[in-house]
Amino acid sequence: MTLWHLGVAIECVQGDITQQADMAAIVNAANGALLPGGGVAGAIHRAAGPGLAQECRPLAPIRPGEAVLTGGHRLPNAHVIHCLGPVYGVDEPAPALLASCYRKALILCERHGAESVAFPAISTGIFGYPLAPAARIAVETVLATLPACPSVKRVRFVLFGAADLACYEQVLNEWKSGN
Ligand code: ADP
């Protein structure tokens, strides 16, 4: 589904974050060392090739809530934005740290002129953040940050599973009916 806000298309789709060829930037649910690892990070590094890990090395480590930008290497995207989400139950305050990832990623898009960006559900895999509250933070933070990012015209949430997509659609529908 697509929701329009301030002339920006907010989309949510089921899919693979490495297959978003029409997006200028994709976001990596990174680990602090910016190493390949599993989940989203593993998939992104596999698709990007070894040049990505090489570019990441001098940028690591990053702390929870931080975001750094690299090139896309063999990915079809110009940029990869690596965000370190909070480990649920460990990094506190988790909601603020998760919100910071989305906010800082959008601000990096603005700074680098990226008009479109695709996000995975940061922290909701290995890091254990429950999907529904994470989805609410993702959507609310993006909507609240867009006024500071006039270059960004398209934001896509890419969910791996059908249940995850349904959860995001519900959050977007609730927001739509409240505004
Ligand atoms: P984190 O360590 O931040 O929890 P993960 O990579 O373990 O990050 O998972 C984050 C979310 O991304 C999970 O909901 C997971 O199901 C989903 N996911 C895993 N692989 C992909 C992929 N290739 N594309 C999109 N989403 C993915």
Side-chain angles (χ1 to χ4, degrees), residues 81 104-114 146 148-152:
I81 298 170
K104 289 189 172 166
L106 282 178
I107 287 166
L108 281 172
C109 286
E110 179 67 23
R111 198 174 296 157
H112 291 267
L146 282 173
C149 305
S151 309
V152 178

Side-chain angles (χ1 to χ4, degrees), residues 15-20 28-31 38-44 46 83-86 119-129 131 158-161 164:
D16 182 330
I17 195 73
T18 66
Q19 303 292 315
Q20 309 302 315
N28 182 12
N31 48 69
V40 168
I44 286 179
R46 254 191 317 277
C83 293
L84 179 59
F119 285 96
I122 299 168
S123 280
T124 67
I126 297 157
F127 285 2
Y129 210 118
L131 189 75
V158 179
L159 291 316
F160 218 27
D164 294 0

Side-chain angles (χ1 to χ4, degrees), residues 1 10-13 98 102 119-122 124 131-139 156-159 162-175:
M1 68 174 281
I10 315 286
E11 308 167 356
C12 59
V13 302
L98 186 59
Y102 287 93
F119 285 96
I122 299 168
T124 67
L131 189 75
R136 214 159 289 127
I137 289 167
V139 168
R156 180 179 293 160
F157 295 108
V158 179
L159 291 316
D164 294 0
L165 174 65
C167 180
Y168 266 72
E169 286 181 339
Q170 193 184 332
V171 170
L172 284 182
N173 277 322
E174 278 167 18
W175 188 87

Side-chain angles (χ1 to χ4, degrees), residues 25 55 59 67-71 78-82 105 108-109 111-112 114:
E55 188 182 354
L59 305 175
V68 295
L69 181 139
T70 65
H79 313 286
V80 178
I81 298 170
H82 307 262
L108 281 172
C109 286
R111 198 174 296 157
H112 291 267

